[in-house]
Amino acid sequence: MQPGVIASPRTGRELVDEYFIENRTRLLEIAAFLDRLDRTDATLADHDFRVRAFRDALAILAAEPDHASDRTRVDRIQELWSDPTTEPLEKLDVKSARGAYDRWQLGVA
């Protein structure tokens, strides 16, 4: 277990029994979303930071856990999608959240 991570009160089998179907459905929804993207603009990831961030998050999910680090997959994905800037904006740049930060615009990626 990673340092600083609280152990689950359930066994692995209990977690699978409780959450497998729910997460299987989520994966199918993600697969359908990616399939729909593939049927549109093949260069979408080249010019939409949200698609790049989404695919980067999928790579984090697919990677083996780093047991030497205290950073979980959730931590790494939240960091990937979060705004790394510290200076406040003079005014809001959009009315609603975008779900990811355009790290490529500032060369942070």
Side-chain angles (χ1 to χ4, degrees), residues 14-109:
E14 289 170 334
L15 288 170
V16 171
D17 287 347
E18 179 75 21
Y19 298 108
F20 178 78
I21 294 297
E22 172 183 336
N23 287 289
R24 176 185 179 272
T25 301
R26 288 182 176 135
L27 284 175
L28 289 170
E29 289 175 4
I30 290 169
F33 171 65
L34 294 172
D35 285 347
R36 286 190 297 273
L37 287 178
D38 290 345
R39 290 191 300 267
T40 62
D41 181 357
T43 66
L44 189 60
D46 295 335
H47 58 270
D48 192 308
F49 69 93
R50 296 167 299 173
V51 174
R52 287 192 303 250
F54 195 86
R55 290 188 174 161
D56 288 349
L58 290 175
I60 290 170
L61 288 178
E64 291 294 322
D66 181 2
H67 296 293
S69 170
D70 61 350
R71 297 177 66 221
T72 64
R73 290 180 185 99
V74 170
D75 292 335
R76 291 166 47 210
I77 291 172
Q78 285 284 52
E79 183 178 310
L80 170 72
W81 287 346
S82 296
D83 182 346
T85 61
T86 56
E87 294 299 315
L89 297 173
E90 286 186 31
K91 64 179 183 144
L92 292 178
D93 57 351
V94 291
K95 279 191 145 188
S96 63
R98 294 181 182 155
Y101 183 75
D102 190 354
R103 305 174 83 74
W104 296 267
Q105 178 184 18
L106 296 177
V108 178

